[in-house]
Amino acid sequence: MSSSSPDRVVAVVGATGAVGEVLLRVLEQRSFPVSELRALASERSAGSSVRFRGEEHRVEVARPEAFDGADFVFFAATGSLSKELAPEVARRGGIAIDKSSTWRLDPNVPLVVPEINGAAVEKQRGIIACPNCTTIPLAMTLEALRRVAGLRSAVVTTLQAVSGAGLPGLEELAAQQSALHEGRPLPAPSAFAAQIAANVVPVCDAFGDNGYTAEEMKLLHETRKILEMPQLPVTMTCTRVPVPVGHSASVLVETERPLEVAAARAAFAAFEGIELVDDPSRDLAPTPADVVGRDEILVGRVRRDLSGDRLWYWECGDNLRKGAATNAVQIAEEVLRRGLG
Ligand SMILES: NC(=O)c1ccc[n+]([C@@H]2O[C@H](COP(=O)([O-])OP(=O)(O)OC[C@H]3O[C@@H](n4cnc5c(N)ncnc54)[C@H](OP(=O)(O)O)[C@@H]3O)[C@@H](O)[C@H]2O)c1
């Protein structure tokens, strides 16, 4: 990998998926310096094409040889594929930026949200992990408050869009909504634990022995790693809602020092990547529809807990952009800015 070359060889593994497609758009929109793009996926879509900067790019099968000479390889496919192939990128001198959960808690792999811990990319050894799509907005909003008042604990309920389960999730919602509309029997759930159309599913993925789901445990452990607060009490319920794009969360937070509502609002407004949308006098609060296609995390409903000193807030973020693709591209930009790639 040559740091003197202005443009980089970039590969996207999972270029045909929900995150991969948005990643291509984000690379275009942010004018990431790409001299060559390699679009990779499985044998299912090999031979099809994706568009990048106005040109069609043939999709090839993701194999180690596809990483020869690659500077950055974005992984937006499956965890098992990242486990197998990300080390192949590192071995060839490139940097793998992984969207799966595979490497996130590995102590040798930085888990990065550039607005919080961009400097962590200095520790990379060829693999950098991108947090879960619910962790990124939660960590950013908690960090905004920590900077002004410290942090003691958080209680979180998420309302997650179906695109968090990729294209199969979007297709399942659409198929069930059509069936409901036309009065046909609903197709059986497959991407989700129960019917998702006209419903709320309080289980995002597999249960663990402690009664929490894998998604919930990711939120806990990833938040602690990013904030470097290994004991931070975070407890959570993750739910799936019939929203195509845009994850939301309701958060009850306890800060170390007293924090007035106005000061909390100011802290959110001042934090890079967060936009405050909070005006009770006009019934103004953010909704997931407001964040679609945007990179900012929108925050509102900031108010005091009626029974104590804690604060409530509500946040929404586009799970495919800041929750996935944009954060991954920002990590690559951080690497370039620091002269590491
Ligand atoms: N969706 C989100 O909001 C979100 C947010 C954060 C992180 N993530 C993570 O990002 C990754 C991608 O998620 P997604 O939502 O984009 O899923 P998706 O829409 O189902 O797309 C999956 C992509 O992976 C490719 N793929 C699957 N198996 C493969 C294999 N064996 N070899 C090569 N390519 C393979 C697929 O290619 P084919 O076309 O060939 O099948 C497709 O391009 C996952 O790790 C997910 O956990 C997703």
Side-chain angles (χ1 to χ4, degrees):
M1 183 164 59
S2 157
S3 57
S4 58
S5 159
D7 281 0
R8 301 299 192 277
V9 176
V10 171
V12 177
V13 180
T16 53
V19 173
E21 157 66 21
V22 175
L23 223 149
L24 295 174
R25 300 293 79 77
V26 171
L27 288 168
E28 289 173 344
Q29 289 158 7
R30 296 179 74 94
S31 302
F32 192 83
V34 180
S35 58
E36 180 188 335
L37 179 88
R38 299 176 188 170
L40 307 171
S42 78
E43 276 165 7
R44 284 182 294 276
S45 49
S48 65
S49 65
V50 294
R51 276 189 88 72
F52 182 67
R53 293 190 180 151
E55 286 177 11
E56 297 294 326
H57 291 257
R58 189 185 148 87
V59 176
E60 307 284 349
V61 175
R63 293 201 181 92
E65 309 81 76
F67 308 137
D68 289 341
D71 297 300
F72 291 103
V73 179
F74 295 98
F75 282 84
T78 64
S80 55
L81 197 71
S82 296
K83 187 167 190 182
E84 179 195 336
L85 292 185
E88 297 287 347
V89 176
R91 201 166 294 137
R92 287 167 167 77
I95 296 178
I97 300 178
D98 184 32
K99 271 310 311 165
S100 82
S101 57
T102 299
W103 300 99
R104 290 178 189 153
L105 300 180
D106 185 317
N108 295 317
V109 173
L111 180 63
V112 179
V113 180
E115 294 88 342
I116 302 174
N117 64 342
V121 301
E122 300 271 357
K123 297 187 193 132
Q124 61 84 19
R125 300 181 196 167
I127 304 176
I128 303 174
C130 199
N132 191 25
C133 41
T134 49
T135 307
I136 291 171
L138 178 69
M140 286 172 65
T141 50
L142 291 179
E143 175 68 7
L145 298 184
R146 174 168 75 163
R147 286 185 187 175
V148 294
L151 202 55
R152 236 179 225 161
S153 69
V155 180
V156 186
T157 303
T158 70
L159 297 89
Q160 301 181 210
V162 295
S163 57
L167 293 177
L170 282 163
E171 285 159 10
E172 188 154 315
L173 174 63
Q176 290 184 359
Q177 283 175 330
S178 302
L180 274 181
H181 186 65
E182 292 158 17
R184 286 187 282 109
L186 263 62
S190 113
F192 305 113
Q195 172 188 327
I196 187 67
N199 207 3
V200 172
V201 181
V203 183
C204 275
D205 54 6
F207 276 110
D209 293 341
N210 63 0
Y212 287 82
T213 61
E215 184 81 359
E216 289 162 349
M217 296 310 289
K218 284 180 206 167
L219 195 58
L220 169 67
H221 293 304
E222 294 177 19
T223 302
R224 286 175 166 178
K225 179 171 175 178
I226 296 161
L227 298 181
E228 295 186 63
M229 296 180 78
Q231 306 300 327
L232 180 70
V234 178
T235 188
M236 58 274 130
T237 304
C238 292
T239 76
R240 191 75 70 183
V241 293
V243 166
V245 176
H247 288 355
S248 308
S250 172
V251 184
L252 180 62
V253 64
E254 186 181 10
T255 52
E256 238 165 43
R257 298 178 292 283
L259 184 63
E260 294 303 322
V261 168
R265 285 196 179 119
F268 287 132
F271 195 86
E272 187 189 345
I274 294 180
E275 187 176 312
L276 186 74
V277 181
D278 194 18
D279 186 351
S281 71
R282 293 190 293 143
D283 292 340
L284 191 63
T287 72
D290 299 329
V291 295
V292 176
R294 296 188 58 180
D295 289 327
E296 298 81 9
I297 303 303
L298 303 188
V299 175
R301 302 292 326 270
V302 185
R303 64 206 190 278
R304 186 156 299 290
D305 164 29
L306 291 177
S307 61
D309 291 332
R310 295 180 292 181
L311 287 174
W312 281 110
Y313 65 89
W314 167 259
E315 43 95 335
C316 303
D318 183 327
N319 50 297
L320 298 174
R321 287 188 69 100
K322 182 58 186 167
T326 303
N327 198 72
V329 175
Q330 285 176 309
I331 290 172
E333 290 171 348
E334 190 76 38
V335 168
L336 290 180
R337 198 165 22 251
R338 291 169 184 271
L340 303 169

